[in-house]
Amino acid sequence: MPAKTDIGPPYFKDFMSDLVKKNYGQWLYHEIEKPGVMVHVAESGDKLWSVRVGGARLICTDRVRDYCELADEFCGGHFRFTSRHNVEFLVEDQAKLQPLIDKLTAKGYPIGGTGCSITSIVHTQGWVHCHTPATDASGVVKSVMDELIDYFKGMKLPAQLRIALACCLNMCGAVHCSDIAILGMHRLPPKVDPEKVPKMCEVPSTIGSCPTAAIKPDPKTKSVKVNGERCMYCGNCYTMCPAMPLADSENDGISLWVGGKVSSARTAPRFSKLAVPYLPNNPPRWPETVEAIKNIVEKYAAGAKRYERVGDWIERIGWEKFFEVTGIEFTDKHIDDFGEAGSYGITTLRRTTMFKFTSHIK
Ligand code: SF4
Ligand code: SF4
């Protein structure tokens, strides 16, 4: 017997049911029978139903135990977590499908997140765990999904709508390529404590940690100085030197980005673009952020054609029209002029006076 270690992940096939192992790589197609319920059909004729339940990234052991008990009762002990923190109960016996759905419903677990819906928001660590966030992650996500839960339970949108949150621009979440992205924004450079820097930090490596060369030595204080014009608020220096905190309870907040996607269906993948430059951090329910996202979702739902993702819809009607229908103010913050615009902004800065007039486009 090979020795068991805790190094690396265990072999994934050890966790599959016999039916899934038997049909591995031989699934013919899948269908969504109703919101949150899918059936996969194999070449052998075997069928596997998945019941998708809205989950959360941070859950307690009681919740995991509950999932396990449900899986033991209805799924031969098998369920899985999706990359968006949902739970999928894998049912092999069709007779157990409706009883499982009834029990999940009775327990208040939302079923959905398939097809033209809003599935759970993929997100980062936030105030719970990371040291550079400009906003919380779980708290914002919970507030937004509470408002949008009907879009999770039903498939009434023109296409899939994927929301992501990253609590700073280092972006451990998929905010660069989501239909709607929630991004924490720092708005001031790190505050240097010249008393503590020489005692706590290694000055050369702190200077070397800055990707934009914004940090210079300050020989007078044996500390460092930050050039705010060059700083992009990444927090890398704070990782190296705890005497340079970036978090600022007054100025940190949230920006919203729209129109990104990973899928290459119908149109090419694309990056998200800035829609709302700043919304205040307003815990515990972030009402401004929730309202702004709901507004974009509702305007998209009303205006997009079947299977148009948010970015496809905006490209068709034009960005000028997008700002008009959503009522979002277009400001100088929407123009990418960061630092050396000649190098950073050259691919994104719009350099034409031509506007696309869209009033004739339906
Ligand atoms: S996005 Fe930034 S603040 Fe959030 S977990 Fe990642 S590095 Fe930390
Ligand atoms: S926050 Fe980032 S860009 Fe700003 S000084 Fe620190 S390392 Fe440099």
Side-chain angles (χ1 to χ4, degrees):
M1 286 286 288
K4 275 198 173 179
T5 75
D6 60 356
I7 300 169
Y11 185 50
F12 65 95
K13 276 197 177 171
D14 291 345
F15 296 89
M16 290 177 176
S17 70
D18 290 342
L19 183 138
V20 174
K21 271 188 207 151
K22 178 187 153 200
N23 295 292
Y24 187 78
Q26 295 164 49
W27 296 96
L28 267 186
Y29 64 92
H30 73 273
E31 283 172 350
I32 300 171
E33 293 192 338
K34 56 184 174 179
V37 180
M38 284 179 292
V39 60
H40 283 76
V41 181
E43 285 171 9
S44 64
D46 287 343
K47 290 183 175 180
L48 180 72
W49 285 266
S50 308
V51 181
R52 185 176 294 173
V53 165
R57 177 166 167 165
L58 302 175
I59 51 175
C60 60
T61 42
D62 284 350
R63 175 61 62 91
V64 178
R65 279 186 209 286
D66 200 30
Y67 289 156
C68 292
E69 279 164 17
L70 286 162
D72 282 341
E73 189 176 348
F74 298 98
C75 310
H78 292 94
F79 72 99
R80 71 183 201 103
F81 289 97
T82 71
S83 55
R84 286 187 171 262
H85 324 309
N86 292 313
V87 182
E88 281 185 2
F89 291 95
L90 305 170
V91 184
E92 297 177 7
D93 177 358
Q94 192 174 9
K96 292 188 173 169
L97 185 62
Q98 194 54 46
L100 169 65
I101 293 169
D102 293 343
K103 191 144 189 182
L104 290 167
T105 308
K107 280 176 171 282
Y109 290 149
I111 298 172
T114 50
C116 298
S117 68
I118 297 178
T119 193
S120 289
I121 298 177
V122 67
H123 68 87
T124 52
Q125 279 62 250
W127 291 336
V128 174
H129 189 57
C130 191
H131 63 288
T132 48
T135 186
D136 191 25
S138 323
V140 182
V141 162
K142 168 75 175 144
S143 307
V144 172
M145 278 313 286
D146 277 354
E147 192 65 34
L148 301 179
I149 189 66
D150 287 343
Y151 291 105
F152 177 88
K153 291 179 181 168
M155 300 198 297
K156 48 190 175 183
L157 286 171
Q160 295 173 329
L161 199 154
R162 297 286 177 259
I163 307 180
L165 180 148
C167 37
C168 86
L169 50 65
N170 289 322
M171 210 181 68
C172 309
V175 288
H176 63 299
C177 56
S178 293
D179 295 288
I180 299 177
I182 309 165
L183 177 63
M185 295 288 288
H186 295 290
R187 298 193 299 168
L188 291 175
K191 291 171 275 299
V192 179
D193 185 335
E195 286 286 305
K196 288 185 182 158
V197 168
K199 295 176 189 142
M200 298 173 74
C201 313
E202 204 181 55
V203 170
S205 52
T206 303
I207 292 170
S209 72
C210 180
T212 61
I215 306 176
K216 292 276 178 281
D218 185 358
K220 271 193 216 151
T221 57
K222 295 191 175 155
S223 175
V224 294
K225 285 190 282 197
V226 174
N227 178 352
E229 288 296 307
R230 293 185 77 100
C231 176
M232 62 171 179
Y233 319 139
C234 70
N236 220 28
C237 51
Y238 179 58
T239 310
M240 292 302 296
C241 177
M244 298 178 67
L246 187 61
D248 184 313
S249 57
E250 292 297 311
N251 285 287
D252 291 347
I254 283 174
S255 59
L256 299 181
W257 303 66
V258 295
K261 70 182 183 102
V262 182
S263 159
S264 54
R266 289 172 285 277
T267 53
R270 61 163 78 84
F271 288 129
S272 320
K273 291 185 180 172
L274 181 66
V276 182
Y278 180 77
L279 293 162
N281 264 329
N282 198 355
R285 299 297 292 179
W286 282 268
E288 298 85 357
T289 301
V290 171
E291 193 49 46
I293 292 174
K294 197 174 164 206
N295 173 41
I296 296 170
V297 170
E298 285 174 353
K299 297 299 180 333
Y300 159 71
K305 293 182 178 171
R306 191 84 177 126
Y307 299 126
E308 261 182 348
R309 298 285 292 260
V310 171
D312 300 331
W313 166 61
I314 297 172
E315 288 295 326
R316 176 171 60 81
I317 65 173
W319 282 88
E320 289 82 2
K321 189 80 178 170
F322 166 77
F323 282 97
E324 190 185 312
V325 296
T326 55
I328 297 171
E329 191 188 356
F330 186 87
T331 70
D332 58 344
K333 303 290 183 296
H334 290 90
I335 299 167
D336 179 3
D337 64 344
F338 170 70
E340 294 84 43
S343 54
Y344 289 105
I346 198 157
T347 53
T348 51
L349 193 58
R350 178 166 156 163
R351 283 163 295 163
T352 168
T353 53
M354 197 185 128
F355 280 77
K356 182 175 165 187
F357 292 95
T358 53
S359 52
H360 63 289
I361 297 177
K362 302 224 166 40

